[in-house]
Amino acid sequence: MSLFDLRLQELHNKLHSKEITVSDLVDASYKRIAAVEDKVKAFLTLDEEGARHTAKALDEQSGSSARGLLFGLPVGIKDNIVTEGLTTTCASQFLRNFNPVYDATVVTKLKKAQSVTIGKLNMDEFAMGGSNENSSFHPTYNPWNQEYVPGGSSGGSAAAVAAGEVFFSLGSDTGGSIRQPASYCGIVGLKPTYGLVSRFGLVAFASSLDQIGPLTKNVEDSAYLLQAIAGHDPMDSTSLNTDIPDYVSALTGDVKGLRVAVPKEYFGQGIDPKVKDAVLTALKVLEAQGAIVEEVSLPHSEYAVATYYLLASSEASSNLARFDGVRYGVRAENPKNLLDVYLKSRSEGFGDEVKRRIMLGTYALSSGYYDAYYLKAQKVRTLIKRDFDQVFEQYDVIIGPTVPTTAFKIGSQANDPLTMYLNDILTIPVNLAGVPAISVPCGFADGLPIGLQIIGKPLDESTVLRVAHAYEQQTDFHKQRPQL
């Protein structure tokens, strides 16, 4: 058995008993990267020298009383989460030379937990995309079949875990960017409640929607990682000041009497029949364990995609205004004047998808169109959140597919942005409502993984993880690995 097949608890025990060292784990990670990275291309930057130095220092520590579960474990970081002294590009040519002078709060917390950063992971440029084809450096490939996309925008984060290059990774989720690639790559992806995990040091796409979360091989590992990164941060004005429960203790395997809502809108037109069958089978597994499963309606779900792309693009237009070729990032050569600096730097630095969203957002925020588009989208967002609130008055969780289909072929939707946007139709409402959700593997179709999405009440990650773990214990989909 490979070290990468072990749970975090099992690895911790081996480190504690000195069967293995941190250097052994780091060696295993880089050997695996050397073996499969040319097929997967999950990484943009590797920090082998820094990782080996950290591993050696951890191995030389005496005593193990203060060691947490993440001690010595190799982790990959999505490249829109800043890392001190380690290039953070957001997969954009605009930031190809950007070396941050500080760490994001989540990176600081992982360092405090004494994990080892292996490198920075590929993504869609500035987190804008659902396939990882929008990276300005190179696409990432799905480990299950390299002709297919790994999902996005956290495609590199998902592919690295699925391929066994790192034990876990961090991604960011604005409209499904953790859960969709987790579904496509057959791993576990958790999007926490908005504000539970600090966004300080996350390069902003859409500030009211972005959320950092873990991508792992199983639900238990996800609980351990969330435990390490959750909590109030005074550096983030949107951070929630709330008590953090013991997420691992919630994994009881007991869902008897739990009320599960199944939205009829999540099984309508566009859902692949194989995906639908796999999710319905998963619901029967939970029913057999004593859960009560009933159909409900989330009537405003059909407006979620339009609402999201107006709001997210508007916020992106505002957030990306800071990239002007003056303060940091790449500046165009030989500008004629200040306006030319802005125009040339942004024209050369941003890719097509980023430009598309900036233009859409700027239009929606412009005089004469603000009320018709942006303001109306905010009102519809409130209606979508109200749908969730009403369902959660009677039910504990909402369950459906993570995405309508399995992964699609690379290039098949590259020239059709509207079809690409519709891949997020089942994940976007969760971000608009600010609630937690997790994707867990629930089957395969034509050799590609299928994801089950479990949505919970605000700050009720414990129940979301409990249901996901209870389902996982009755299946072995999470144990299957791609053959690279």
XYZ file of all heavy atoms in Angstrom, residues 3-4 11 15 20-30 71-74 118 165 167:
175
model
N 1.883 5.150 0.725
C 1.642 6.067 1.838
C 0.445 6.966 1.546
O -0.277 7.373 2.452
C 2.887 6.926 2.087
C 4.113 6.224 2.709
C 5.302 7.174 2.716
C 3.799 5.752 4.118
N 0.222 7.251 0.261
C -0.861 8.155 -0.111
C -2.237 7.512 0.016
O -3.250 8.190 -0.099
C -0.648 8.686 -1.526
C 0.417 9.734 -1.598
C 1.744 9.394 -1.799
C 0.103 11.067 -1.418
C 2.724 10.363 -1.839
C 1.082 12.048 -1.453
C 2.401 11.699 -1.667
N -1.187 8.015 9.074
C 0.127 8.614 8.851
C 0.683 9.223 10.131
O 1.877 9.090 10.432
C 0.014 9.697 7.769
C -0.204 9.214 6.332
C -0.615 10.380 5.446
C 1.043 8.546 5.791
N 4.228 8.361 11.968
C 5.222 9.372 12.334
C 5.518 9.332 13.831
O 6.671 9.434 14.258
C 4.716 10.766 11.942
C 4.787 11.140 10.458
C 4.010 12.416 10.201
C 6.238 11.308 10.003
N 8.084 6.027 9.985
C 8.458 6.876 8.864
C 8.859 8.246 9.398
O 8.574 8.582 10.554
C 7.294 7.050 7.849
C 6.051 7.632 8.544
C 6.967 5.747 7.146
C 4.916 7.982 7.581
N 9.515 9.021 8.562
C 9.892 10.386 8.927
C 9.172 11.370 8.007
O 8.604 10.984 6.982
C 11.407 10.596 8.783
O 11.766 10.454 7.390
C 12.186 9.568 9.606
N 9.227 12.643 8.390
C 8.649 13.669 7.535
C 9.384 13.700 6.193
O 8.774 13.857 5.137
C 8.717 15.050 8.217
C 8.193 16.141 7.285
C 7.934 15.037 9.521
N 10.688 13.496 6.246
C 11.471 13.462 5.006
C 11.018 12.335 4.090
O 11.021 12.484 2.863
C 12.963 13.313 5.324
O 13.456 14.457 6.005
N 10.605 11.215 4.667
C 10.076 10.103 3.861
C 8.813 10.545 3.112
O 8.623 10.221 1.934
C 9.733 8.902 4.744
C 10.961 8.214 5.318
O 12.044 8.338 4.706
O 10.829 7.569 6.372
N 7.943 11.274 3.807
C 6.700 11.736 3.188
C 6.973 12.743 2.072
O 6.363 12.682 0.996
C 5.788 12.375 4.244
C 5.245 11.443 5.337
C 4.423 12.235 6.341
C 4.405 10.334 4.730
N 7.895 13.658 2.330
C 8.248 14.650 1.312
C 8.909 13.970 0.115
O 8.617 14.300 -1.045
C 9.148 15.744 1.917
C 9.684 16.676 0.827
C 8.377 16.552 2.960
N 9.775 12.992 0.389
C 10.385 12.215 -0.699
C 9.311 11.535 -1.544
O 9.371 11.550 -2.778
C 11.322 11.137 -0.132
C 12.681 11.685 0.259
O 13.047 12.768 -0.242
O 13.373 11.032 1.062
N 8.342 10.918 -0.863
C 7.271 10.208 -1.568
C 6.479 11.163 -2.451
O 6.099 10.816 -3.578
C 6.345 9.527 -0.556
N 6.254 12.376 -1.946
C 5.501 13.361 -2.709
C 6.253 13.770 -3.970
O 5.697 13.748 -5.082
C 5.213 14.596 -1.840
O 4.439 15.539 -2.542
N 7.529 14.106 -3.833
C 8.286 14.554 -5.003
C 8.580 13.419 -5.984
O 8.653 13.645 -7.197
C 9.572 15.251 -4.572
C 9.315 16.667 -4.100
C 9.506 17.030 -2.780
C 8.860 17.639 -4.985
C 9.248 18.319 -2.342
C 8.594 18.933 -4.561
C 8.795 19.272 -3.241
O 8.524 20.545 -2.813
N 0.911 17.331 11.216
C 2.361 17.419 11.389
C 3.097 16.668 10.278
O 2.889 15.480 10.058
C 2.780 16.839 12.745
C 4.276 16.773 12.949
C 4.964 17.873 13.444
C 4.995 15.621 12.629
C 6.336 17.823 13.624
C 6.367 15.566 12.812
C 7.044 16.667 13.310
N 3.942 17.410 9.555
C 4.814 16.779 8.575
C 4.171 16.363 7.272
O 4.839 15.765 6.423
N 2.892 16.667 7.076
C 2.205 16.167 5.882
C 2.332 17.144 4.712
O 2.106 18.335 4.853
C 0.732 15.918 6.195
C 0.455 14.868 7.274
C -1.033 14.628 7.405
C 1.161 13.553 6.952
N 2.675 16.636 3.526
C 2.816 17.488 2.336
C 1.470 18.024 1.860
O 0.502 17.278 1.727
C 3.412 16.533 1.292
C 4.049 15.434 2.082
C 3.170 15.266 3.282
N 4.417 21.844 -0.528
C 5.149 21.231 -1.637
C 5.260 22.198 -2.814
O 6.274 22.248 -3.509
C 4.442 19.931 -2.082
C 4.527 18.883 -0.959
C 5.030 19.392 -3.378
C 5.942 18.455 -0.609
N -0.161 13.176 -5.584
C 1.046 14.004 -5.530
C 1.202 14.693 -4.173
O 2.318 14.973 -3.732
C 1.013 15.043 -6.647
C 1.074 14.435 -8.037
C 1.036 15.480 -9.136
O 0.090 16.303 -9.144
O 1.936 15.481 -9.969
N -0.953 14.961 -0.069
C -1.943 14.281 0.766
C -3.255 15.057 0.822
O -4.317 14.481 0.997
C -1.378 14.071 2.174
C -0.300 13.029 2.215
C 1.031 13.379 2.086
C -0.623 11.690 2.335
C 2.031 12.419 2.106
C 0.353 10.724 2.350
C 1.687 11.086 2.233
